[in-house]
Amino acid sequence: MSRILFKENVLEKARQRMKIAFDDFPRIVVTFSGGKDSLVTLGLALEEAEKRNRKIALAFLDQEAEWDATIVEIKRWMQHPMII
């Protein structure tokens, strides 16, 4: 098995994909669980939104099985000035 090496790293590729999403869609909605993966996605979306002076929407589905600390963190993010 051989490897294919790219010049860009994972972060650069994720930023490129986020730019495409912002180019193609007038409204960006990030689904957010409070976990590490959705937090990274949210951070990338906020980074691109700030560059473009746009706001994003944040969607969270409470399954009533989340830790209290996770809910506190999600509520904190919902107050972010770039989130509608």
Side-chain angles (χ1 to χ4, degrees):
M1 183 186 323
S2 64
R3 288 182 145 178
I4 299 173
L5 301 176
F6 296 97
K7 292 180 183 179
E8 300 95 351
N9 62 37
V10 174
L11 179 58
E12 290 168 346
K13 294 301 273 185
R15 284 182 173 140
Q16 288 174 6
R17 289 183 184 103
M18 197 59 71
K19 286 178 186 178
I20 291 168
F22 274 79
D23 287 343
D24 291 349
F25 299 99
R27 184 171 185 223
I28 302 296
V29 179
V30 176
T31 56
F32 189 65
S33 68
K36 63 185 183 319
D37 297 327
S38 63
L39 185 58
V40 168
T41 304
L42 176 59
L44 290 169
L46 286 169
E47 180 181 277
E48 190 64 27
E50 189 171 352
K51 288 178 187 175
R52 296 170 185 248
N53 196 30
R54 286 177 57 185
K55 294 188 177 196
I56 63 170
L58 190 58
F60 169 70
L61 175 64
D62 186 352
Q63 300 177 52
E64 299 183 7
E66 282 75 26
W67 294 97
D68 291 339
T70 301
I71 298 297
V72 168
E73 188 67 12
I74 289 167
K75 287 180 179 178
R76 187 178 73 81
W77 277 107
M78 292 285 193
Q79 301 303 313
H80 191 284
M82 296 294 293
I83 293 176
I84 55 173

